[in-house]
Amino acid sequence: MWTILKAIWHSQRMLVYPSGFDAYPRIVDTPAEYSMPYEDVQLVTKDKVTLYCYLVRKDNLEKTRGTVILFHGNAMNHGDMLSRATKFFYQGFAVLTLEYRGYGHCKGVPSERGLCLDAQAAVDYVTSHRTLRDLPIIIYGQSLGGGVAIYATYKNINKVSALIIENTFTSIPDLVKGMPLIRHFSWLCTQKWRSLAKLSRLPTSLPILMLSGRSDEVIPYTHMDRLWAVAQTRGCSKNKKNPSNEEYQPPQKDLYKVFLYGSHNNTFLQLDYWETIFHFLETVLE
């Protein structure tokens, strides 16, 4: 038994971040393959890890509507997000595709703490950019990237204009509790990603869009339902203390869209997916 417990304890990073342990060389698509102008961006995190990212943008950034920071899933690299980046780019947005430590061409070993530092480096880059700093910031995350996105928004609430999450979890321990064989070992999780708790602390003034594939075979859609339920009562006295005693104002611009045939990795291909996103952003940026 102890051997099994030790194996779970030491191997869980490989289970949570599988593509962060892929053998080299690794294939990472570039925006040029999608006919998009871009520049290679190297971010240096607080703990001195170098991240190799892309900034997809037009030459004239003054005409850009905002910047979308894309956080990808655990079995991907940032090049796999470029098909999504094209949608934002051709709607007038600049896009930063963040690569995590250990993923793609980045060195290092992925961990919750490490990815949080990576996310902060991405936000710091955008907010210090001479042109992008004056534009709205939209945070977008899918799967594990949803957890990273919620964290980045939570830590930079005064800098983010909108949050978009797709097919993500309430926390890693909650996800493990739903697995028949290992549910009793959820207490061993060192990678927590407690998104539900962070989401409950976001202000109601922040617009949130949630996109849920009801045929998700990896993360049960009930996680998205729980996230939505908490999002709709965030700031309420039953969810958190309100020391200012201000009158509670429910979220006004939040939106929850479900896709009956959306699986974990193809929800973004479903009918009305992108129409929903851009309708939401029109409301946010009006």
Side-chain angles (χ1 to χ4, degrees):
M1 175 61 75
W2 284 111
T3 301
I4 295 175
L5 294 179
K6 287 173 65 176
I8 293 174
W9 179 269
H10 292 293
S11 65
Q12 60 185 272
R13 285 194 188 184
M14 295 182 68
L15 296 174
V16 176
Y17 315 106
S19 290
F21 295 90
D22 285 346
Y24 288 90
R26 300 173 180 177
I27 298 174
V28 179
D29 291 344
T30 71
E33 296 172 55
Y34 292 82
S35 302
M36 292 187 293
Y38 75 102
E39 59 184 86
D40 291 308
V41 172
Q42 293 186 24
L43 306 181
V44 179
T45 65
K46 188 176 181 180
D47 60 344
K48 308 303 180 185
V49 175
T50 300
L51 309 175
Y52 301 96
C53 311
Y54 300 134
L55 176 62
V56 179
R57 64 176 183 85
K58 295 180 179 179
D59 291 335
N60 189 352
L61 282 175
E62 284 75 13
K63 294 184 179 180
T64 301
R65 300 172 63 190
T67 304
V68 181
I69 305 177
L70 297 184
F71 298 107
H72 66 76
N74 70 339
M76 308 166 65
N77 63 56
H78 75 131
D80 297 321
M81 296 295 278
L82 290 172
S83 58
R84 303 177 195 234
T86 60
K87 301 292 187 180
F88 289 108
F89 174 74
Y90 288 112
Q91 287 291 324
F93 294 91
V95 183
L96 178 68
T97 62
L98 174 69
E99 189 57 287
Y100 311 138
R101 64 187 62 206
Y103 279 74
H105 300 314
C106 303
K107 301 298 183 181
V109 178
S111 67
E112 181 175 1
R113 177 182 179 277
L115 267 64
C116 288
L117 292 174
D118 300 344
Q120 189 59 53
V123 175
D124 290 345
Y125 170 78
V126 173
T127 56
S128 63
H129 192 281
R130 54 194 174 94
T131 303
L132 299 179
R133 66 188 178 191
D134 298 322
L135 300 173
I137 296 176
I138 296 94
I139 301 288
Y140 174 106
Q142 186 263 346
S143 190
L144 170 66
V148 184
I150 291 171
Y151 169 83
T153 303
Y154 171 71
K155 295 298 288 186
N156 299 276
I157 191 56
N158 295 323
K159 302 174 183 178
V160 176
S161 297
L163 170 64
I164 303 173
I165 54 175
E166 176 205 322
N167 293 346
T168 190
F169 42 71
T170 56
S171 74
I172 295 294
D174 286 347
L175 190 60
V176 172
K177 288 175 184 177
M179 299 177 179
L181 296 179
I182 62 173
R183 62 186 180 186
H184 300 297
F185 302 108
S186 62
W187 56 277
L188 280 172
C189 291
T190 61
Q191 309 300 294
K192 308 291 188 181
W193 291 108
R194 297 193 183 280
S195 296
L196 198 69
K198 294 180 178 64
L199 191 70
S200 70
R201 294 180 174 89
L202 298 181
T204 58
S205 58
L206 174 78
I208 299 176
L209 170 61
M210 297 191 184
L211 305 156
S212 175
R214 310 311 266 188
S215 298
D216 193 329
E217 73 286 6
V218 177
I219 300 175
Y221 65 76
T222 51
H223 283 252
M224 289 294 292
D225 288 348
R226 287 184 64 199
L227 288 168
W228 175 250
V230 166
Q232 293 311 284
T233 58
R234 66 189 190 275
C236 184
S237 58
K238 69 178 181 180
N239 242 5
K240 64 181 239 181
K241 294 180 180 179
N242 188 2
S244 64
N245 292 319
E246 295 178 357
E247 183 179 354
Y248 173 65
Q249 296 292 328
Q252 298 296 314
K253 296 184 178 180
D254 289 3
L255 182 61
Y256 191 30
K257 178 72 172 180
V258 301
F259 301 89
L260 182 61
Y261 300 108
S263 68
H264 189 66
N265 290 317
N266 81 353
T267 297
F268 78 105
L269 298 175
Q270 300 302 302
L271 185 66
D272 292 335
Y273 180 91
W274 291 104
E275 289 81 355
T276 299
I277 286 179
F278 294 123
H279 171 74
F280 169 74
L281 291 178
E282 288 289 345
T283 303
V284 170
L285 303 177
E286 64 182 6

